[in-house]
């Protein structure tokens, strides 16, 4: 794939997608379009079971949207940019494979929205987070007002969104915005350890888990239970289910093929 602002490396069923717009990796329309392209291709690649998303350098994961691009847009142009950003965030959130954000530095505005679209988040102990949009006379437009409150609750979400103050990795962990905090030099290795562990799990079962959790979060309990039952049935019908149960009986490690 021909990319200007992203790199993609695949090894041992794990794809590492890196946003490369130094020094702070801002998001613009081209980056959003490249994210859609990359995730479409990884979706079709049966050798890839887990995806890691990170930023280049040590300063920033993504320090927000490209203000230089936004400043010159009229309403129609901004609506078009919002459309491509929404497509990218939704593509990541709804990928059939687990997506791990390895947050190596600043995750501000659209960068935090990008991280929230991932399934799991690991950050450097030096990472910083914020939704600073209100200070610019705007609000988050890439799902921040919606995805954040599903994780931290409405009260905390309003605090973070209304004030726009920066907070550190420990606060992010306390609020369950990230799953784990590690020294910066261990970040990518830790993300790869998680990814390699997930890559050994049955791919269809992981996909059904993701569907059940994601779709269920937007549904009432009865609808969620129906979604769970359907996802359970799909996982139960696979060859991997037979292998998993057989391996358990035979007291050996299962080998899953994704069917």
């Amino acid at each position: 794939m021909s990319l200007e602002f992203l790199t993609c490396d695949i090894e041992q069923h794990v794809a590492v997608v890196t946003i490369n717009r130094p020094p702070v990796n801002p998001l613009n329309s081209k980056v959003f379009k490249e994210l859609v392209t990359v995730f479409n291709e990884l979706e079709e690649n049966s050798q890839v079971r887990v995806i890691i998303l990170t930023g280049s350098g040590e300063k920033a994961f993504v320090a927000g949207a490209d203000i230089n691009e936004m400043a010159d847009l009229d309403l129609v142009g901004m609506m078009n940019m919002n459309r491509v950003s929404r497509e990218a965030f939704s593509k990541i959130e709804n990928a059939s494979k687990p997506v791990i954000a390895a947050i190596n530095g600043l995750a501000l505005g659209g960068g935090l929205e990008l991280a929230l679209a991932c399934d799991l988040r690991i950050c450097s102990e030096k990472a910083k987070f914020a939704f600073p949009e209100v200070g610019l006379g705007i609000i988050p437009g890439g799902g921040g007002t919606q995805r954040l409150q599903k994780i931290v609750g409405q009260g905390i979400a309003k605090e973070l969104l209304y004030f726009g103050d920066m907070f550190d990795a420990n606060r992010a962990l306390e609020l369950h915005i990230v799953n784990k905090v590690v020294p910066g030099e261990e970040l990518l290795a830790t993300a790869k350890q998680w990814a390699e562990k997930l890559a050994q799990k049955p791919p269809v079962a992981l996909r059904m888990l993701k569907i059940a959790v994601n779709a269920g979060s937007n549904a009432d309990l009865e609808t969620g239970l129906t979604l769970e039952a359907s996802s359970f049935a799909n996982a139960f019908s696979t060859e991997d289910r037979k292998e998993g149960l057989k391996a358990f009986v035979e007291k050996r490690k299962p080998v899953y093929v994704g069917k």
Side-chain angles (χ1 to χ4, degrees):
M1 60 186 83
S2 178
L3 302 167
E4 182 178 359
F5 296 128
L6 302 184
T7 62
C8 182
D9 301 300
I10 300 172
E11 185 178 359
Q12 297 294 321
H13 299 299
V14 176
V16 179
V17 177
T18 305
I19 299 172
N20 186 25
R21 290 194 74 201
V24 293
N25 307 317
L27 300 170
N28 64 6
S29 296
K30 184 68 179 293
V31 174
F32 288 129
K33 290 175 181 177
E34 289 190 2
L35 282 168
V36 172
T37 297
V38 167
F39 273 79
N40 278 335
E41 295 194 19
L42 294 177
E43 188 75 21
E44 297 301 319
N45 188 335
S46 61
Q47 295 304 307
V48 174
R49 295 188 178 183
V50 185
I51 302 166
I52 296 172
L53 182 60
T54 192
S56 64
E58 298 180 0
K59 188 171 184 178
F61 171 66
V62 169
D66 190 330
I67 300 298
N68 291 325
E69 179 182 25
M70 291 177 63
D72 294 330
L73 295 176
D74 58 15
L75 178 58
V76 174
M78 191 65 247
M79 290 177 67
N80 286 333
M81 185 177 180
N82 186 259
R83 175 181 54 79
V84 297
S85 68
R86 181 173 178 177
E87 181 183 6
F89 292 139
S90 294
K91 182 69 64 175
I92 293 166
E93 183 174 48
N94 297 315
S96 67
K97 303 163 187 186
V99 183
I100 301 171
I103 304 166
N104 48 305
L106 297 171
L108 309 179
L112 183 46
E113 289 176 312
L114 182 64
L116 293 177
C118 299
D119 296 294
L120 301 168
R121 289 164 289 278
I122 304 172
C123 78
S124 161
E125 59 189 3
K126 296 181 180 179
K128 301 285 186 181
F129 305 83
F131 278 113
E133 286 88 346
V134 70
L136 301 174
I138 57 176
I139 71 169
T145 64
Q146 303 306 303
R147 293 188 179 98
L148 179 65
Q149 65 174 304
K150 291 180 184 299
I151 295 172
V152 304
Q154 194 176 92
I156 296 296
K158 286 180 177 178
E159 175 192 340
L160 299 180
L161 293 164
Y162 288 7
F163 289 101
D165 293 335
M166 195 171 292
F167 55 97
D168 64 15
N170 288 332
R171 181 96 196 276
L173 182 64
E174 175 188 329
L175 296 176
H176 307 295
I177 290 173
V178 299
N179 300 87
K180 190 177 183 68
V181 178
V182 298
E185 64 272 16
E186 298 176 14
L187 176 65
L188 194 56
T190 303
K192 286 182 177 180
Q193 288 172 3
W194 279 33
E196 289 164 4
K197 188 173 181 179
L198 286 174
Q200 297 175 28
K201 305 289 184 184
V204 178
L206 284 177
R207 182 175 186 177
M208 292 302 104
L209 277 172
K210 184 167 181 174
I211 289 173
V213 174
N214 283 9
S217 71
N218 297 310
D220 61 83
L221 179 59
E222 284 303 314
T223 301
L225 291 172
T226 300
L227 287 166
E228 181 185 78
S230 176
S231 298
F232 173 83
N234 286 336
F236 194 81
S237 67
T238 62
E239 293 179 21
D240 282 344
R241 184 269 304 174
K242 297 176 183 177
E243 165 65 9
L245 295 180
K246 184 178 180 182
F248 179 82
V249 171
E250 296 176 354
K251 295 180 171 42
R252 60 174 176 81
K253 185 177 180 179
V255 179
Y256 295 117
V257 296
K259 297 182 181 178

